[in-house]
Amino acid sequence: MPERALPHKRWNMTQTSHDRLLIIDFGSQVTQLIARRLRELNVYCEIHPYQKVTDDSLKAFDPKAIIFSGGPDSVMREGSPRPPKAAYEMGVPILGICYGQQVMMHDLGGRVEAGEHATAEFGRAYVTPTDKQADFLNGWFMDASGREQVWMSHGDHVAEIAPGFEVYGTSPGAPFAITADLARNFYAVQFHPEVHHTPNGATLYENFVKLAGFKGDWTMGAYREEMIAKIREQVGDKKVICALSGGVDSSVTGILLHEAIGDQLTCVFVDHGLLRLNEAEQVVAMFRDNYNLNLIHADESDLFLGELEGVSDPETKRKIIGKLFIDVFQKYADQIEGAEFLAQGTLYPDVIESVSFSGGPSVTIKSHHNVGGLPEKMGLKLVEPLRELFKDEVRTLGHELGLPASFIGRHPFPGPGLAIRCPGEITREKLEILRKADAVYIDQIRKHGLYDEIWQAFAAILPMRTVGVMGDGRTYDFAVALRAVTSVDGMTADYYPFTHEFLGETSTRIINEVKGVNRVFYDCTSKPPGTIELE
Ligand code: XMP
């Protein structure tokens, strides 16, 4: 089942032996992207909200370099965010981005002005070099235009740079677009090098970490070894239970734990009767046959489908499934004598969300189904070996651990399963039809070589029957909706532009091959305004 973050830190991240970079978060919407760019360079970094960074915590973290993120505030506002003074005195390179640049200039003796006089810039801009050279700009300004496209998003701007700094790049709205004090290894830019719209931005991060002396030793091979040692140290000879869903996060968690502690681990696979065609058998076979791990296949479909009978409200469905999941998991876990730990596949974005002052949606659109709450309820301690990783790092780790590529590349599947793809009442008949239609649809997508281009695709069964004609007879059968989206993180999504030929062929196949369906719709709603799932 999907795992979510708990708001406390379990791993002592300060024990890692890698070079470490600290990103002080001033609340930018894109701070996570800075971390992404750095991880791509095999640099270990953590994002800490500025409120939590003190002189002491800085020293304890012992960064080899520091980055100040952007942020929405104005340095001229009293009480606006600041890094601790110690940051400037540690003798490590610092890179300030947008608000981070302004805060550096302000703190070090320069001047920032409010964004009047048409100097605010939002969106694409072009930076041209000055006559000064800096290794920080290696690989920049190389093409014939002699300029670089960057992404600006600032109201205020630097009006006077701090002593020791010089200007290395300018844009129409930001005369101090790129500034540096080479003697102190302080760099400060007004734009956002981490976003897509600064196409050559990654080069600046690469130059910065090179100048700071990073070895680029953060690899998933090394991570695997270190994490195995850490798990052994944390768990000792105690027993661990893990809820396995067959999704990438819980699978990698389970396999890593199994490598570390073998038979001390028991995985529980809760089959709620809302899985796809043959899914339960495939998941169980994969883990038992390939990994030989202790696996309890908890077939509780009668219980779940019984409780869901007659329920059509989406939130009620989710709540029933979430609660039953916890009850069932607990029932099986209780049978494992002496279990002291629960393994969860919490990822780094969940951890950031749980501490960031800017993060997290304020309105509950859907209550996500998860195992959060279980450890407290059961008095278990947590093992979360993926807490430091982004999703693509988890996939790489999965490869390292020998998970088949077909498993690693699978589209996301929600915890409540087919329940939220069956609007209205859930019946066994509808689930049966839905499973078959979904299998044909996914088969079509694979046959056309589109599976990896699409972020998520699935069929849903609509709560209505419509009239059709097949052969010479009237039909009155269910309608199926097909959904396919592209997305980066599931937060926003575009519907996938299939060709008419593909849609026609798929519709024909579904109606011919799946008894009980006589009509197929394609859902061309993006998110927002739609959500990806139908409920
Ligand atoms: P929505 O439908 O909210 O979905 O646009 C965004 C992504 O989240 C998945 N999803 C869930 N995943 N538990 C999960 O682990 C849930 O309760 C849940 N609901 C939706 C959905 O499949 C999509 O990938």
Side-chain angles (χ1 to χ4, degrees):
M1 292 293 133
E3 303 89 342
R4 299 282 296 166
L6 287 159
H8 8 256
K9 203 163 175 171
R10 304 288 161 149
W11 293 107
N12 183 358
M13 295 196 199
T14 55
Q15 279 172 2
T16 165
S17 58
H18 300 278
D19 294 337
R20 301 146 61 76
L21 189 149
L22 179 68
I23 301 168
I24 302 184
D25 184 12
F26 291 114
S28 160
Q29 299 290 320
V30 289
T31 303
Q32 270 204 41
L33 292 179
I34 303 176
R36 288 297 321 117
R37 297 289 89 82
L38 294 166
R39 295 280 181 102
E40 281 157 17
L41 296 165
N42 296 333
V43 166
Y44 182 81
C45 60
E46 287 181 24
I47 300 174
H48 291 195
Y50 75 93
Q51 303 98 319
K52 308 230 162 169
V53 187
T54 60
D55 286 357
D56 287 344
S57 77
L58 249 186
K59 278 180 199 131
F61 190 92
D62 192 21
K64 204 176 174 72
I66 302 173
I67 292 181
F68 296 165
S69 85
D73 218 318
S74 164
V75 294
M76 286 162 299
R77 190 186 66 77
E78 188 140 338
S80 55
R82 291 284 181 280
K85 284 277 173 289
Y88 301 108
E89 292 152 11
M90 298 181 89
V92 301
I94 303 179
L95 170 60
I97 292 158
C98 197
Y99 181 85
Q101 179 191 45
Q102 295 170 8
V103 102
M104 257 168 110
M105 293 303 148
H106 183 88
D107 285 356
L108 298 175
R111 195 164 54 81
V112 176
E113 270 179 3
E116 293 150 10
H117 316 302
T119 52
E121 273 182 312
F122 295 96
R124 188 174 291 122
Y126 292 91
V127 174
T128 47
T130 61
D131 56 359
K132 298 200 168 54
Q133 307 288 317
D135 289 345
F136 177 62
L137 293 174
N138 286 344
W140 260 46
F141 306 119
M142 301 297 278
D143 81 17
S145 73
R147 59 183 198 171
E148 291 279 351
Q149 180 187 312
V150 300
W151 193 254
M152 294 279 188
S153 181
H154 63 102
D156 297 349
H157 65 276
V158 176
E160 204 178 295
I161 48 174
F165 279 79
E166 296 203 80
V167 183
Y168 293 84
T170 65
S171 79
F176 305 116
I178 304 173
T179 57
D181 175 343
L182 299 187
R184 284 188 285 182
N185 253 336
F186 288 173
Y187 303 87
V189 297
Q190 181 59 80
F191 53 89
H192 289 270
E194 62 277 14
V195 303
H196 217 66
H197 294 87
T198 303
N200 202 9
T203 307
L204 295 187
Y205 287 109
E206 197 176 344
N207 293 339
F208 178 68
V209 298
K210 216 184 263 173
L211 286 165
F214 280 86
K215 293 190 286 289
D217 56 1
W218 171 253
T219 63
M220 282 306 106
Y223 185 83
R224 171 187 183 174
E225 298 309 320
E226 283 163 24
M227 199 39 76
I228 286 173
K230 268 192 187 175
I231 292 168
R232 287 183 182 147
E233 191 189 319
Q234 188 193 8
V235 169
D237 58 0
K238 301 294 184 301
K239 286 188 182 159
V240 181
I241 46 176
C242 175
L244 203 64
S245 69
V248 177
D249 305 344
S250 70
S251 299
V252 172
T253 303
I255 294 167
L256 193 61
L257 259 293
H258 183 247
E259 247 191 39
I261 57 166
D263 279 350
Q264 288 164 252
L265 171 75
T266 304
C267 293
V268 181
F269 173 62
V270 178
D271 181 350
H272 48 23
L274 298 158
L275 297 167
R276 290 163 291 189
L277 195 65
N278 302 327
E279 187 166 12
E281 296 74 14
Q282 283 164 6
V283 169
V284 170
M286 201 207 56
F287 287 104
R288 283 208 181 127
D289 301 348
N290 295 350
Y291 290 96
N292 195 26
L293 54 73
N294 291 330
L295 178 63
I296 298 175
H297 177 186
D299 181 355
E300 295 284 350
S301 44
D302 286 344
L303 173 71
F304 281 82
L305 298 182
E307 292 281 323
L308 286 167
E309 212 173 292
V311 178
S312 53
D313 175 65
E315 275 301 293
T316 313
K317 281 183 189 171
R318 280 175 174 272
K319 296 249 157 68
I320 291 173
I321 296 168
K323 179 184 174 304
L324 283 182
F325 181 86
I326 291 184
D327 291 350
V328 165
F329 187 77
Q330 181 153 19
K331 181 177 92 182
Y332 286 90
D334 284 348
Q335 296 165 11
I336 303 160
E337 221 165 282
E340 286 195 15
F341 292 90
L342 175 77
Q344 278 198 167
T346 312
L347 304 192
Y348 193 47
D350 302 322
V351 179
I352 303 172
E353 200 175 325
S354 68
V355 294
S356 169
F357 66 99
S358 58
S362 51
V363 183
T364 302
I365 307 291
K366 302 173 182 185
S367 49
H368 269 216
H369 167 55
N370 56 62
V371 295
L374 254 185
E376 284 81 355
K377 198 167 171 216
M378 298 171 69
L380 294 171
K381 288 174 265 184
L382 274 180
V383 188
E384 297 179 301
L386 312 183
R387 259 185 96 82
E388 295 168 23
L389 305 186
F390 285 96
K391 189 84 178 184
D392 52 338
E393 291 175 319
V394 175
R395 294 205 174 98
T396 310
L397 183 59
H399 278 293
E400 284 279 336
L401 293 164
L403 258 183
S406 57
F407 236 80
I408 294 170
R410 287 207 315 177
H411 292 171
F413 186 66
L418 300 183
I420 58 177
R421 297 175 178 177
C422 184
E425 284 183 32
I426 298 167
T427 64
R428 285 178 192 266
E429 181 201 7
K430 280 160 90 177
L431 289 176
E432 216 39 46
I433 292 173
L434 173 53
R435 281 193 185 100
K436 288 182 183 152
D438 185 72
V440 173
Y441 177 42
I442 298 298
D443 182 54
Q444 276 286 102
I445 289 175
R446 286 197 189 278
K447 281 199 172 124
H448 282 75
L450 301 173
Y451 191 83
D452 294 336
E453 250 177 64
I454 293 169
W455 199 73
Q456 194 171 9
F458 56 87
I461 184 162
L462 299 179
M464 64 181 191
R465 290 175 196 259
T466 68
V467 172
V469 54
M470 282 169 88
D472 286 327
R474 175 186 190 269
T475 58
Y476 188 54
D477 282 334
F478 282 107
V480 159
L482 306 180
R483 184 101 169 104
V485 294
T486 55
S487 177
V488 176
D489 51 14
M491 304 296 283
T492 57
D494 282 328
Y495 75 88
Y496 188 79
F498 287 121
T499 62
H500 284 291
E501 289 72 26
F502 175 89
L503 290 172
E505 191 182 301
T506 307
S507 162
T508 305
R509 265 196 70 188
I510 291 175
I511 291 168
N512 285 347
E513 294 175 34
V514 184
K515 198 164 168 301
V517 180
N518 68 354
R519 196 176 293 270
V520 174
F521 294 104
Y522 183 56
D523 181 349
C524 51
T525 322
S526 291
K527 171 182 179 176
T531 54
I532 295 176
E533 303 290 345
L534 269 67
E535 290 191 337

